[in-house]
């Protein structure tokens, strides 16, 4: 055991010596490397310092040049400011001299500019510009040039303004035909002969035209006015110089636009919707019944009147059938005959008042149906207001107008039905009164005999 411990100790000492020897070599190499690195870094720092000194000299030169340029620009700026102030004084003197020389002409040119602007707006919307284009552009350019500078209008420009105003006045009293491009209702652009009636209207092929001053185009109205207006337009275009009655719009198209936008009778009926059509169907049925009963009662009344004048009893009329009872019961007493006559009259009454109750019901139901359509339309209108708000008054006005159409249709049906019922009921009762009168006469005659 002792030998083994001694051997291990010797081995440990030998390994420690070797490790220490290697460590000494590494430290020497590291020290040498540090010395070499410091030398290299010192060389690089020297090179950097040399480059910085060179660049510093360049920066100093650039700074000196910039300062010199700044001083030069400052001097130039002071010189320009002085010149600007001098120019302002000169400009003020010149403007004063110009104002003194213009005198009242300055006010004249201001009025001329205002007149040119107002006339340009009038020419732009005038139908005469469809025949004489380009007038508003000249006036617009002249007004702009006079407004943005001290440029004065020339004598030629002033005379042209006067000429254009005079020409507008002259053309306002003429009816002339000319050719121009017209946009038809279908969208096709064709060249047509157009008749201009002063500053009021344009017509072509019996149709009214509309002039758009913004685009300078002439187009057919999508919706034309009533036929009588179109007939007068055709007569005017085909006239050989004779006087023709023609309706003009002195408002420059406003009345014509409202006239065109007004819905026709068919469109009014269509606004009533399903309820409106039902009212019209019921009204047509009631009118048919009323006409039928009117004809029947008229014929019956004529037969009764004829029977009154004749001694021969005919059973083709109510009075003849009632009087026939007298011959049927020649030996009946007065009370029995009266009962038989009353029975005969009661048998004729349903025939005379046939279908009158239906006509009366229609006269009562029609306005109720119209009220139903109105209430339904108002509900739809308020639903639209709930969705889109009240910002557009046309939405409310259109919905209310549509709702009231059914009320109008109901009244249109109810009023004549009420009158027809009253007339038919009166005629029916008149015939019944004749039957009762003649029956009373027969009873009185039998009573006298008995």
């Amino acid at each position: 055991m002792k030998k083994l411990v001694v051997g291990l100790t010797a081995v440990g000492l030998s390994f420690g010596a070797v490790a220490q020897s290697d460590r000494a070599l590494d430290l020497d190499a590291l020290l040498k490397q540090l010395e070499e690195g410091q030398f290299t870094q010192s060389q690089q720092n020297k090179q950097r310092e040399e480059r910085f000194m060179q660049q510093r000299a360049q920066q100093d030169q650039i700074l000196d040049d910039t300062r010199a340029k700044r001083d030069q620009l400052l001097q130039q700026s002071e010189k320009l400011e002085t010149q600007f102030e001098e120019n302002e004084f000169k400009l003020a003197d010149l403007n004063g001299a110009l104002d003194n020389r213009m005198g009242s002409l300055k006010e004249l040119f201001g009025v001329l500019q205002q007149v040119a602007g107002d006339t340009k707006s009038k020419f732009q919307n005038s139908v005469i510009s469809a025949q004489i284009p380009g007038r508003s552009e000249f006036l617009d350019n002249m007004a702009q040039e006079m407004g943005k500078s001290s440029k004065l209008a020339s004598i030629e420009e002033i005379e042209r303004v006067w000429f254009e105003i005079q020409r507008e006045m002259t053309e306002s009293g003429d009816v002339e035909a000319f050719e121009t491009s017209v946009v038809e209702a279908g969208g096709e652009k064709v060249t047509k002969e157009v008749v201009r009636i002063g500053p009021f209207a344009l017509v072509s092929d019996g149709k009214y035209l509309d002039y758009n001053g913004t685009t300078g185009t002439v187009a057919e109205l999508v919706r034309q006015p009533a036929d009588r207006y179109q007939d007068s337009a055709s007569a005017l275009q085909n006239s050989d110089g004779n006087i023709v009655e023609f309706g003009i719009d002195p408002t420059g198209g406003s009345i014509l636009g409202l006239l065109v936008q007004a819905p026709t009778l068919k469109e009014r009926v269509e606004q009533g919707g399903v309820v409106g059509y039902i009212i019209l169907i019921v009204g047509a049925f009631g009118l048919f019944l009323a006409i039928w009963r009117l004809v029947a009662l008229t014929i019956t009344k004529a037969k009764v009147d004829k029977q009154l004048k004749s001694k021969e009893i005919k059973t083709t009329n109510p009075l003849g059938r009632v009087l026939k009872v007298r011959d049927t019961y020649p030996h009946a007493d007065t009370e029995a005959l009266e009962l038989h006559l009353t029975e005969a009259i009661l048998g004729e009454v349903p025939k005379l008042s046939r279908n009158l109750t239906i006509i009366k019901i229609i006269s009562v139901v029609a306005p109720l149906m119209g009220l139903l359509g109105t209430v339904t339309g108002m509900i739809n209108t308020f639903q639209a207001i709930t969705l889109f708000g009240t910002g557009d008054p046309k939405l409310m006005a259109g919905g209310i107008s549509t709702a009231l159409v059914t009320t109008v249709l109901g009244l249109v049906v109810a009023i004549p039905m009420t009158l027809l019922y009253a007339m038919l009921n009166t005629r029916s009762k008149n015939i019944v009164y004749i039957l009762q009168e003649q029956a009373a006469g027969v009873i009185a005659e039998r009573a006298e005999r008995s």
Side-chain angles (χ1 to χ4, degrees):
M1 293 294 293
K2 293 180 179 180
K3 291 180 180 181
L4 179 59
V5 172
V6 173
L8 291 174
T9 303
V11 172
L13 291 174
S14 63
F15 276 113
V18 172
Q20 189 175 2
S21 176
D22 293 339
R23 181 178 179 184
L25 291 175
D26 292 338
L27 291 175
D28 292 339
L30 178 62
L31 180 61
K32 185 177 181 180
Q33 289 178 359
L34 290 175
E35 290 178 353
E36 292 177 355
Q38 289 179 355
F39 177 77
T40 303
Q41 188 174 6
S42 298
Q43 293 294 329
Q44 291 177 354
N45 289 336
K46 289 180 180 180
Q47 293 177 359
R48 291 175 182 173
E49 289 176 359
E50 292 177 357
R51 287 198 302 269
F52 175 77
M53 295 302 296
Q54 294 177 358
Q55 291 178 358
R56 180 178 180 182
Q58 294 177 356
Q59 295 294 331
D60 292 339
Q61 183 63 34
I62 292 173
L63 179 62
D64 294 338
D65 295 342
T66 303
R67 288 176 177 174
K69 188 174 182 180
R70 181 197 63 184
D71 296 338
Q72 183 182 359
L73 291 176
L74 288 174
Q75 294 177 0
Q76 186 178 1
S77 175
E78 293 176 356
K79 182 178 180 181
L80 291 176
E81 287 180 358
T82 304
Q83 185 177 359
F84 176 76
E85 293 177 356
E86 293 176 355
N87 290 335
E88 279 191 337
F89 288 119
K90 291 180 181 180
L91 183 60
D93 295 338
L94 292 175
N95 287 330
L98 178 61
D99 293 338
N100 292 331
R101 291 186 179 182
M102 289 184 63
S104 59
L105 290 178
K106 184 175 182 181
E107 189 174 329
L108 171 64
F109 288 125
V111 174
L112 179 63
Q113 180 184 0
Q114 182 179 359
V115 171
D118 296 341
T119 307
K120 173 249 179 182
S121 300
K122 181 176 179 58
F123 285 177
Q124 187 174 5
N125 299 321
S126 176
V127 297
I128 300 177
S129 298
Q131 183 181 2
I132 310 173
R135 301 182 301 166
S136 59
E137 287 80 0
F138 157 72
L139 295 173
D140 187 24
N141 294 333
M142 188 184 73
Q144 290 182 0
E145 290 178 358
M146 292 180 62
K148 68 183 179 182
S149 65
S150 60
K151 181 180 181 299
L152 303 179
S154 62
I155 299 296
E156 291 78 10
E157 291 176 337
I158 297 175
E159 289 180 348
R160 184 172 178 184
V161 173
W162 169 83
F163 172 76
E164 294 295 347
I165 295 175
Q166 181 63 38
R167 182 163 63 170
E168 178 75 11
M169 296 171 59
T170 304
E171 295 294 336
S172 297
D174 295 339
V175 178
E176 296 186 5
F178 63 97
E179 289 189 357
T180 186
S181 298
V182 178
V183 180
E184 295 182 339
E188 185 178 357
K189 192 173 184 179
V190 296
T191 302
K192 291 184 177 181
E193 183 185 43
V194 177
V195 177
R196 176 181 59 80
I197 302 90
F200 305 110
L202 296 172
V203 296
S204 178
D205 295 339
K207 296 181 180 180
Y208 282 78
L209 308 179
D210 177 55
Y211 174 70
N212 190 335
T214 305
T215 59
T217 57
V218 179
E220 288 183 1
L221 292 177
V222 178
R223 292 185 56 179
Q224 295 290 327
D227 294 338
R228 59 192 182 96
Y229 296 108
Q230 297 186 46
D231 294 339
S232 63
S234 300
L236 177 65
Q237 191 169 8
N238 298 327
S239 175
D240 296 331
N242 300 324
I243 297 177
V244 177
E245 293 184 359
F246 182 81
I248 62 174
D249 183 5
T251 62
S254 300
I255 296 178
L256 181 61
L258 295 175
L259 185 65
V260 169
Q261 292 179 3
T264 61
L265 179 61
K266 181 181 178 181
E267 292 173 342
R268 286 290 189 189
V269 172
E270 290 176 351
Q271 288 178 353
V274 178
V275 178
Y277 285 116
I278 294 175
I279 293 173
L280 291 178
I281 293 173
V282 172
F285 177 70
L287 182 62
F288 171 75
L289 287 180
I291 294 174
W292 172 51
R293 293 308 303 159
L294 179 62
V295 173
L297 290 175
T298 302
I299 296 173
T300 303
K301 182 65 169 56
K303 291 181 178 181
V304 169
D305 293 339
K306 187 177 180 181
Q307 182 65 54
L308 287 172
K309 298 177 182 179
S310 176
K311 294 182 179 181
E312 182 182 357
I313 297 176
K314 297 181 180 180
T315 58
T316 56
N317 61 90
L319 181 57
R321 289 190 289 269
V322 171
L323 295 177
K324 187 69 174 177
V325 175
R326 178 186 59 184
D327 298 336
T328 305
Y329 304 98
H331 304 292
D333 56 5
T334 304
E335 294 180 358
L337 181 61
E338 183 179 0
L339 293 174
H340 288 300
L341 289 174
T342 302
E343 181 184 5
I345 293 173
L346 292 176
E348 296 295 333
V349 169
K351 299 178 183 178
L352 295 174
S353 60
R354 181 182 301 171
N355 295 328
L356 295 185
T357 304
I358 297 178
I359 297 174
K360 184 178 181 180
I361 291 174
I362 291 175
S363 67
V364 175
V365 171
L368 296 178
M369 295 177 65
L371 181 61
L372 173 62
T374 299
V375 173
T376 304
M378 292 300 295
I379 291 173
N380 295 332
T381 301
F382 284 114
Q383 287 179 349
I385 293 174
T386 303
L387 294 175
F388 304 105
T390 58
D392 188 3
K394 292 183 178 180
L395 181 64
M396 295 180 58
I400 295 173
S401 176
T402 301
L404 294 177
V405 168
T406 55
T407 301
V408 173
L409 293 176
L411 295 175
V412 167
V413 172
I415 292 173
M417 287 296 103
T418 303
L419 296 176
L420 288 172
Y421 169 76
M423 183 177 61
L424 294 173
N425 190 42
T426 302
R427 290 201 175 192
S428 174
K429 287 183 177 181
N430 288 337
I431 296 175
V432 174
Y433 291 155
I434 293 174
L435 298 181
Q436 292 175 349
E437 180 186 5
Q438 294 299 317
V442 171
I443 295 171
E445 183 182 357
R446 180 63 60 89
E448 290 177 357
R449 288 181 181 179
S450 62

